[in-house]
Amino acid sequence: MHADRIVTQVEPREGQECAVAKWKTGACRPVHGARENLKRVSRKMEKEKTKILAVAGKGGVGKTSIAATIVRILVEAYPDKKILAIDADPAVGLSTALGIEVETTIDDIRRAVVAAAEEGDKKSAIELLGEARYRIFDALVETDGFSFIAIGRPEAAGCYCKINTYLKEVISILSENFDYVVIDGEAGIEQINRRVMEKVTHLLLITDASRKGTQVVQTIRRVADELVMYEKLGLIANRLPSLETGKLLEMGDLPVLACIPADGTLAEFDLKGENVFYLPTDAAIVQGTAEALQKMGLIP
């Protein structure tokens, strides 16, 4: 019998509320009322579970613009919720799309801790790790409606292994403090393949009309089916020459959530470095992204 096990009293003593007193014993079984209370708590916890949405696809398909638009739509739909945007693409484009100035990145923190260890810092490895976890919150940029953090660039060209491992830990630590997390992933399948995104709840794949774009998202889907514990998955066909083009794409059984035509307004915004919060509500990317989020059950 486990002395520290918390269960609910079977029969209340005189003057006590039924089925709510907690005993430190394993000998009692919850009564019906308590069991229903536990079910309600469980349902509430499930309902309030952090929703982690990752955006993935090959480079050049508008992935970052859609990730930024998702953040905008969630901020507008849920002004009372805590929303986090993570720029997990070393190309570092999400900050510009959201109008954020970045001073410290995740990789800055990681490299500072590694340098301290290599220089013979007297702190133990455990203390340094704890410090790194704490400093993650220092890298958060707080703005109206959402928070932001960037992965930064790796320490060597083409070397993403160490920072991706750290990013996985960052996602785990930070997600507990937010209602919605939007991750703009790096182009291709590397972060999926390394299980960086393994606890994502919603995986949104982005392609354009190219054969390469559709092949990449199908590959990501196959890998994600094995390595990612996602709850919902869908695809946005973006930057299409026309909406009719979307009907010609060979996507197999991938659910197509929205088709978005090429948008000259967005292209102009990108050239000027303006953020998506200034896009008109009837812009094709805003309308299409909202349609996709509705079909995934993320907004009403």
Side-chain angles (χ1 to χ4, degrees):
M1 184 167 65
H2 301 283
D4 60 346
R5 184 177 174 187
I6 305 296
V7 297
T8 308
Q9 178 181 345
V10 176
E11 295 181 359
R13 296 178 184 176
E14 184 177 354
Q16 288 182 324
E17 290 290 330
C18 179
V20 294
K22 293 181 179 178
W23 283 18
K24 289 191 175 183
T25 172
C28 302
R29 293 181 301 167
V31 296
H32 177 72
R35 199 176 297 120
E36 290 304 310
N37 285 339
L38 289 172
K39 287 181 180 179
R40 281 194 291 271
V41 170
S42 178
R43 285 194 295 269
K44 183 179 180 181
M45 290 175 65
E46 180 65 25
K47 184 178 180 181
E48 295 177 352
K49 176 182 177 182
T50 301
K51 294 176 176 60
I52 305 176
L53 197 157
V55 183
K58 87 172 187 69
V61 297
K63 177 175 57 63
T64 295
S65 295
I66 287 177
T69 305
I70 290 171
V71 174
R72 166 188 164 163
I73 292 170
L74 291 176
V75 167
E76 293 173 346
Y78 304 113
D80 59 332
K81 298 294 186 182
K82 297 182 69 176
I83 298 165
L84 172 65
I86 298 179
D87 190 347
D89 187 345
V92 194
L94 187 61
S95 60
T96 301
L98 290 172
I100 299 293
E101 292 288 336
V102 178
E103 295 183 1
T104 304
T105 70
I106 293 170
D107 196 47
D108 291 335
I109 295 169
R110 187 196 64 79
R111 284 189 285 114
V113 172
V114 171
E118 290 176 345
E119 290 171 7
D121 193 299
K122 294 181 180 180
K123 295 180 181 178
S124 69
I126 293 177
E127 286 178 313
L128 288 171
L129 179 59
E131 181 178 313
R133 285 173 173 244
Y134 178 78
R135 290 190 59 195
I136 286 170
F137 292 91
D138 292 337
L140 280 175
V141 178
E142 304 286 347
T143 187
D144 290 341
F146 69 97
S147 300
F148 177 91
I149 196 167
I151 181 178
R153 297 180 184 276
E155 65 279 0
C159 181
Y160 300 94
C161 306
K162 294 178 182 178
I163 190 61
N164 277 338
T165 300
Y166 195 27
L167 174 61
K168 179 179 177 180
E169 182 75 5
V170 168
I171 294 171
S172 177
I173 293 170
L174 292 179
S175 63
E176 298 176 1
N177 299 280
F178 291 88
D179 301 298
Y180 293 88
V181 177
V182 180
I183 306 170
D184 180 24
E186 69 176 87
I189 68 167
E190 187 66 15
Q191 288 175 339
I192 299 291
N193 205 31
R194 290 187 176 277
R195 296 179 181 266
V196 175
M197 309 292 188
E198 69 177 351
K199 293 185 179 179
V200 163
T201 60
H202 295 71
L203 184 57
L204 188 56
L205 307 179
I206 315 298
T207 187
D208 55 12
S210 69
R211 182 69 173 170
K212 179 66 173 178
T214 59
Q215 288 176 337
V216 168
V217 293
Q218 288 171 339
T219 300
I220 292 174
R221 193 268 178 85
R222 286 195 297 272
V223 175
D225 283 347
E226 295 182 9
L227 303 179
V228 180
M229 296 181 286
Y230 68 82
E231 296 172 7
K232 293 185 179 181
L233 173 145
L235 176 132
I236 290 180
N238 190 39
R239 295 181 175 175
L240 303 179
S242 70
L243 290 177
E244 291 299 314
T245 307
K247 299 176 182 179
L248 304 177
L249 297 178
E250 297 180 6
M251 300 314 308
D253 63 345
L254 261 176
V256 179
L257 304 176
C259 292
I260 303 175
D263 188 344
T265 302
L266 178 62
E268 185 177 338
F269 265 61
D270 286 343
L271 285 173
K272 293 180 178 179
E274 295 181 355
N275 75 67
V276 298
F277 282 88
Y278 294 108
L279 280 170
T281 55
D282 61 353
I285 192 170
V286 177
Q287 295 290 312
T289 303
E291 179 185 354
L293 295 183
Q294 286 175 334
K295 289 180 179 177
M296 291 188 112
L298 288 165
I299 61 172

